[in-house]
Amino acid sequence: MKDKTLLALTFIRNFVFTLPEVSERLSFETPAFYVQKNMFARLKEGEEELVVHTIERDKWLKQDPLTFYITPHFQNYKYMMVNLDRVEPAVLKELLLAAWTNRASKKLLKLI
């Protein structure tokens, strides 16, 4: 794993593990993050992008198509790709929190 990817992954872990009931396990042989049984983010196989769940995908794609984009595979899913080299840390936290919120149960949402 590249040094910059390891730094991004450490940043992601440090943030998401502050949220209730987050776990990490492999998905497609890369680290993935789950709330309960629902995946909300995972490192893409190339290690330079994060796949993140979002219900505001169009907003992000229009805002910065070099940082936020989709591949044909994700066209029919509520996920988008995030270029880890380009995304600002505060924006990445915002995306991860929104992804966790979208996938968490109502009971868990009351805990934050």
Side-chain angles (χ1 to χ4, degrees):
M1 187 172 289
K2 300 173 189 171
D3 287 345
K4 66 181 180 178
T5 304
L6 191 54
L7 285 173
L9 188 56
T10 299
F11 177 87
I12 292 165
R13 284 176 174 146
N14 286 341
F15 178 70
V16 300
F17 285 121
T18 66
L19 301 169
E21 295 204 34
V22 170
S23 63
E24 178 180 342
R25 52 187 186 262
L26 293 179
S27 175
F28 297 98
E29 298 182 21
T30 64
F33 301 94
Y34 294 79
V35 54
Q36 297 162 315
K37 295 181 181 181
N38 300 312
M39 183 171 60
F40 65 93
R42 79 171 179 90
L43 198 61
K44 186 78 171 107
E45 292 86 350
E47 299 182 353
E48 296 174 0
E49 298 102 7
L50 186 71
V51 179
V52 65
H53 186 275
T54 181
I55 58 174
E56 298 182 312
R57 185 167 72 180
D58 290 340
K59 172 187 121 176
W60 294 106
L61 296 176
K62 288 176 186 173
Q63 179 177 322
D64 184 354
L66 296 176
T67 303
F68 312 107
Y69 54 94
I70 59 170
T71 60
H73 173 76
F74 291 106
Q75 186 68 41
N76 296 318
Y77 299 98
K78 293 180 180 177
Y79 287 90
M80 71 176 176
M81 310 289 286
V82 178
N83 183 325
L84 292 171
D85 286 338
R86 294 184 48 90
V87 68
E88 295 292 326
V91 172
L92 183 54
K93 282 184 177 181
E94 178 184 346
L95 285 167
L96 289 166
L97 178 59
W100 180 91
T101 300
N102 294 338
R103 305 292 280 164
S105 67
K106 290 178 183 179
K107 181 180 176 182
L108 278 184
L109 292 175
K110 293 178 183 178
L111 298 177
I112 61 167

